[in-house]
Amino acid sequence: MISLSSVIFNGMDATPINVQVQLSSGLAKPEFNIIGLADRAVKESAERIRNVLSALNLTLPPKRLTVNLSPADVEKSGSHFDLPILCGILCAIGVLPENELEKYVIMGEVGLDGAIVKTDAVLPASVWANSHNLGIICPGDQGTQARWAGHENILAPFHVLQLINHFRGTQLLPTPELTSPESATKSALDMADVHGQASAKRALEIAAAGGHAMLMVGPPGSGKTMLASRLPTIMPEMTAEEILETSIIYSIAGQLDNKSLMSSRPFRSVHHTSSPVALAGGSSDARPGEISLAHNGVLFLDELPEFNRATLEILRQPMESGKILISRARRNATYPARFQLIAAMNPCPCGHLGNAALSCSRAPRCAEAYQNKISGPLLDRIDLHVDVDAVNPWEMNKDDGTPRETSATIRARVVAARNRQISRQGHVNATLDGPELEQFAPLNEELTTFLNTAAEKMGMSARGYNRIKRLARTIADLRGATDIEMCDLAEALSYRPINRGKYGVK
């Protein structure tokens, strides 16, 4: 019996798969069976492999060929089992040496002509192989991706014949080159493009500095989407750890460029027709959804009340824990989901609440029903609630000679504030909780009395109370201050809605 190694992923966790190939005598013609809870894509490997063997002028012996994917109680999915199964068969008929191949984790899809086609999850598979002192055999297009995991024992053939020749000694497969991840591409977007909206820009800077969630409310054309799309331009660059973690998620999802890691912070703009599975992740193979693809970056939800309510409620748990558990019949997968939520909405269906010239005849009654599409618990998890008013046409053409602040200028302040947080507590202020919050965001007696009074008048929950303290801590960090002062607390409270009856709705 031939035994080779491959791997599958449940979320970020790898499960090693033992690919066992056995030829049994007693049949007049070849028979090919794949067992071990394999899905349709895996079972179709049999037909692809038959054609590959024919292209190589090889034939299966007149025996029973059984491929077992162990452990048998774990569901196997994906076309990346083509290559390990084919390698096992080639070992069984004496074409490849088993003692050499058993030192590798093997994954890759094969075409009918023997070409080895790219597949998902090569980067995390390479990380796992390296941690277990194994090499990896992967598609040639993804050899560079495998090198980013940090080891050199990599074979990346473009065709099965190259792999055969390598082990026969007639061709040497070179180790893929290790290239540095491409630096974040300079965005054409810039905060200097935004006219007016000083208060919204200030709120966006606070959100970037502390990793806080933010909701912008304003009429159509006021610049909400324009502001949100420029948030990544003022956020700090990703660390090496964040780059690798984000790239692994994209590799599992099959969205990683073969020649570049995810060196720019993700910005995922989700349409309001998206399903709960698209947002949370799932389907039969428990793939990551938008909230995991936004990990270490921004999740932007425009037209927030237009989302299905059940879809929005999915956000509540990962916003608190920074991860999401996807449960399916035969598989549980946990993905990181430390995203920064930025949402935008109109104050009412027509979007012109408060403007007598443009608002519809049902205003303001329609606004209450519209805003109530968003649950109180979800709104309570959003730190900054900002009104974005329509820009005056005179402001659009105003030029007093004073240049508007660029993203680079704002980013410098954001980075300085982030550095203070990292050196103080090791993470951003948005995740401060429990004893940490009391230690790093203490309030003196005067500030405590002020916050308690404000919280009582505003009907604030305990969660909202703590979020005000985190927000005030970030505002103080932007000032470079060691302690929270009254001005920090007052500004933090200004970003908290008093009740659901804001924007003129009671």
Side-chain angles (χ1 to χ4, degrees):
M1 183 186 73
I2 306 300
S3 181
L4 302 178
S5 297
S6 190
V7 66
I8 61 171
F9 285 88
N10 287 327
M12 303 286 280
D13 301 323
T15 301
I17 301 298
N18 194 13
V19 180
Q20 301 170 346
V21 178
Q22 182 166 328
L23 287 172
S24 305
S25 59
L27 294 176
K29 61 179 181 178
E31 183 177 328
F32 195 159
N33 294 310
I34 300 176
I35 59 176
L37 209 58
D39 73 353
R40 183 173 179 178
V42 180
K43 288 185 177 295
E44 287 175 350
S45 293
E47 293 305 315
R48 289 191 290 271
I49 289 171
R50 287 182 195 273
N51 283 276
V52 172
L53 292 174
S54 177
L56 297 174
N57 291 321
L58 297 172
T59 57
L60 290 174
K63 295 183 178 181
R64 183 192 301 273
L65 173 61
T66 304
V67 177
N68 179 43
L69 304 177
S70 177
D73 61 343
V74 176
E75 185 175 357
K76 322 299 186 308
S77 62
S79 59
H80 69 278
F81 286 108
D82 287 5
L83 190 56
I85 293 173
L86 176 59
C87 287
I89 294 171
L90 293 175
C91 288
I93 62 178
V95 175
L96 288 176
E98 179 189 3
N99 62 332
E100 291 295 326
L101 284 172
E102 65 186 8
K103 301 174 184 177
Y104 293 88
V105 169
I106 308 171
M107 58 192 312
E109 180 183 335
V110 295
L112 299 184
D113 60 350
I116 301 176
V117 185
K118 68 178 184 178
T119 188
D120 300 339
V122 166
L123 177 59
S126 184
V127 172
W128 184 88
N130 189 29
S131 65
H132 289 77
N133 297 317
L134 294 171
I136 184 169
I137 299 175
C138 66
D141 286 332
Q142 295 174 294
T144 301
Q145 189 180 128
R147 277 300 306 273
W148 289 325
H151 71 90
E152 300 180 358
N153 192 9
I154 299 168
L155 297 179
F158 291 90
H159 196 279
V160 175
L161 206 53
Q162 291 179 318
L163 188 64
I164 294 173
N165 291 338
H166 175 83
F167 284 106
R168 284 178 170 262
T170 60
Q171 179 181 357
L172 180 64
L173 283 172
T175 301
E177 293 184 6
L178 179 61
T179 58
S180 299
E182 295 179 5
S183 58
T185 305
K186 183 175 176 58
S187 174
L189 304 176
D190 198 285
M191 290 296 288
D193 302 332
V194 182
H195 293 262
Q197 305 298 8
S199 60
K201 289 180 183 178
R202 167 64 176 172
L204 211 61
E205 180 179 339
I206 295 170
H212 302 285
M214 177 175 167
L215 171 64
M216 294 179 282
V217 184
S222 57
K224 303 183 294 295
T225 303
M226 187 178 187
L227 285 161
S229 63
R230 283 156 177 75
L231 176 59
T233 68
I234 65 173
M235 295 174 71
E237 292 186 2
M238 290 203 290
T239 64
E241 182 180 355
E242 288 174 332
I243 289 174
L244 181 60
E245 188 175 38
T246 305
S247 298
I248 285 174
I249 296 172
Y250 275 72
S251 180
I252 292 172
Q255 297 188 28
L256 183 63
D257 188 334
N258 296 331
K259 298 181 180 179
S260 176
L261 292 179
M262 284 294 299
S263 55
S264 299
R265 291 194 180 274
F267 181 84
R268 307 294 297 190
S269 182
V270 184
H271 195 265
H272 59 79
T273 57
S274 297
S275 67
V277 171
L279 192 66
S283 74
S284 60
D285 53 355
R287 292 242 172 162
E290 290 292 339
I291 61 175
S292 294
L293 294 172
H295 180 63
N296 292 322
V298 178
L299 179 68
F300 177 52
L301 304 183
D302 202 1
E303 308 296 346
L304 190 65
E306 301 297 337
F307 281 80
N308 180 281
R309 184 157 184 161
T311 302
L312 288 180
E313 295 307 296
I314 292 171
L315 296 170
R316 288 163 55 175
Q317 182 263 338
M319 285 180 70
E320 293 289 334
S321 65
K323 59 184 178 181
I324 185 166
L325 172 64
I326 301 169
S327 297
R328 294 296 180 263
R330 291 193 179 101
R331 182 176 297 185
N332 293 327
T334 301
Y335 290 104
R338 186 65 69 188
F339 58 89
Q340 189 168 346
L341 175 66
I342 305 295
M345 61 176 283
N346 297 326
C348 63
C350 75
H352 298 290
L353 182 68
N355 188 331
L358 296 176
S359 61
C360 65
S361 60
R362 294 187 298 139
R365 296 185 304 277
C366 61
E368 183 174 5
Y370 190 70
Q371 294 173 24
N372 282 335
K373 289 182 178 181
I374 310 168
S375 71
L378 178 59
L379 285 174
D380 202 32
R381 287 168 165 82
I382 299 177
D383 297 339
L384 296 108
H385 297 244
V386 183
D387 294 338
V388 182
D389 298 325
V391 180
N392 189 299
W394 296 103
E395 184 73 27
M396 294 288 295
N397 299 302
K398 181 180 177 182
D399 186 7
D400 57 2
T402 305
R404 290 184 293 273
E405 275 196 320
T406 64
S407 291
T409 303
I410 300 172
R411 172 182 268 183
R413 296 196 296 266
V414 169
V415 169
R418 281 274 185 114
N419 289 340
R420 293 185 187 97
Q421 297 165 42
I422 300 303
S423 62
R424 182 177 60 233
Q425 72 249 5
H427 51 82
V428 295
N429 290 334
T431 56
L432 280 174
D433 204 6
E436 271 193 337
L437 185 61
E438 297 301 320
Q439 179 183 354
F440 299 119
L443 302 180
N444 60 33
E445 185 176 350
E446 179 187 9
L447 294 180
T448 300
T449 301
F450 176 73
L451 180 56
N452 290 347
T453 303
E456 184 176 2
K457 289 183 177 180
M458 297 170 71
M460 201 181 297
S461 68
R463 180 189 290 113
Y465 185 94
N466 286 337
R467 288 187 178 275
I468 289 296
K469 294 177 67 175
R470 295 173 190 152
L471 201 56
R473 177 67 270 175
T474 298
I475 295 170
D477 286 334
L478 280 169
R479 290 193 303 109
T482 303
D483 299 320
I484 297 173
E485 298 180 3
M486 183 64 74
C487 61
D488 306 318
L489 198 57
E491 184 177 1
L493 285 165
S494 71
Y495 296 117
R496 200 75 186 172
I498 296 177
N499 52 48
R500 295 303 300 277
K502 62 183 298 191
Y503 315 116
V505 181
K506 300 298 181 184

